[in-house]
Amino acid sequence: TAGITQAPTSQILAAGRSMTLRCTQDMRHNAMYWYRQDLGLGLRLIHYSNTAGTTGKGEVPDGYSVSRANTDDFPLTLASAVPSQTSVYFCASSEGSADEQFFGPGTRLTVL
Amino acid sequence: GQNIDQPTEMTATEGAIVQINCTYQTSGFNGLFWYQQHAGEAPTFLSYNVLDGLEEKGRFSSFLSRSKGYSYLLLKELQMKDSASYLCAAMDSNYQLIWGAGTKLIIKP
């Protein structure tokens, strides 16, 4: 079973460019999440979706957007990247919003 | 505000026991999670506590005191492969996880 996949694995992006980070899960989980992880800080929630068709803002949503057109996919878009968005991005999913979360392998993004 | 505190780094010896502490302050509380994260990898789930007391799972145990806003992860019979970061996360009233910065555990032979 693949679980959760993310693409790309890593990316270098010029400031001002847009980019979509992809996330797909095959566990039929209802809830999905996007986090960023920066050195010395805990994981910070960017956006989440409790079920297909709904999304919500997390702790650090500015500069990011998401969509949840179906159960499996939860893409994260940076409309105009800035250097402060350099980070490791993790997608996660859980069966319900109160359940343990399963994480994808992460995308390492560098914005120059 | 919401806050999770855990030590930045700990060192222990192979075969020994180590306890990693975590204190939390959240708006509401719906449970305490521990995750393990090896360098360069994704976090993986270790344990969940929502009631006071100790939950044992093989070499790993997790304890919760809701009245004190305190949890610990106990690792026994340490192995070199246990070298990793251990993340504490509390679930708030909106069912969002508030994460600590993680405790890097270094195991020495």
Side-chain angles (χ1 to χ4, degrees):
Chain A
T1 312
I4 300 189
T5 58
Q6 292 184 235
T9 303
S10 65
Q11 182 76 44
I12 298 174
L13 189 66
R17 300 298 293 268
S18 67
M19 172 154 193
T20 295
L21 280 60
R22 300 185 297 280
C23 175
T24 300
Q25 53 106 356
D26 64 1
M27 297 177 283
R28 308 302 293 172
H29 283 172
N30 288 310
M32 296 187 74
Y33 315 85
W34 274 105
Y35 292 95
R36 60 178 290 172
Q37 188 173 41
D38 302 291
L39 205 60
L41 298 177
L43 288 160
R44 291 184 291 169
L45 183 65
I46 303 170
H47 285 286
Y48 65 93
S49 168
N50 287 331
T51 189
T54 69
T55 63
K57 293 182 180 180
E59 180 187 355
V60 289
D62 294 344
Y64 306 94
S65 63
V66 291
S67 61
R68 186 89 185 276
N70 57 59
T71 298
D72 299 344
D73 301 299
F74 192 43
L76 177 74
T77 297
L78 289 67
S80 179
V82 294
S84 62
Q85 291 178 309
T86 293
S87 188
V88 179
Y89 291 85
F90 286 105
C91 179
S93 72
S94 62
E95 189 168 346
S97 54
D99 297 315
E100 67 185 85
Q101 295 179 14
F102 294 83
F103 284 78
T107 293
R108 183 174 295 275
L109 180 66
T110 302
V111 182
L112 300 175
Chain B
Q2 307 200 99
N3 192 54
I4 306 285
D5 282 317
Q6 52 182 129
T8 302
E9 186 174 297
M10 298 182 70
T11 302
T13 304
E14 190 177 15
I17 299 173
V18 71
Q19 178 175 312
I20 302 174
N21 296 324
C22 170
T23 58
Y24 64 89
Q25 281 182 299
T26 53
S27 302
F29 180 74
N30 281 299
L32 194 292
F33 292 77
W34 284 96
Y35 281 76
Q36 180 189 60
Q37 185 177 25
H38 285 101
E41 298 183 7
T44 55
F45 171 77
L46 286 177
S47 68
Y48 170 69
N49 296 65
V50 67
L51 300 176
D52 285 357
L54 188 69
E55 294 275 345
E56 297 187 76
K57 199 187 286 187
R59 294 189 299 114
F60 292 9
S61 303
S62 56
F63 172 83
L64 176 68
S65 168
R66 294 177 64 137
S67 63
K68 294 182 179 174
Y70 167 71
S71 173
Y72 68 72
L73 181 70
L74 192 72
L75 291 73
K76 303 175 187 174
E77 301 168 17
L78 286 169
Q79 302 175 9
M80 297 304 292
K81 68 179 182 179
D82 298 329
S83 292
S85 288
Y86 291 86
L87 314 181
C88 174
M91 183 166 278
D92 70 10
S93 57
N94 293 320
Y95 295 96
Q96 292 188 6
L97 285 177
I98 310 302
W99 295 82
T103 299
K104 182 178 180 180
L105 178 63
I106 299 167
I107 310 295
K108 296 188 173 179

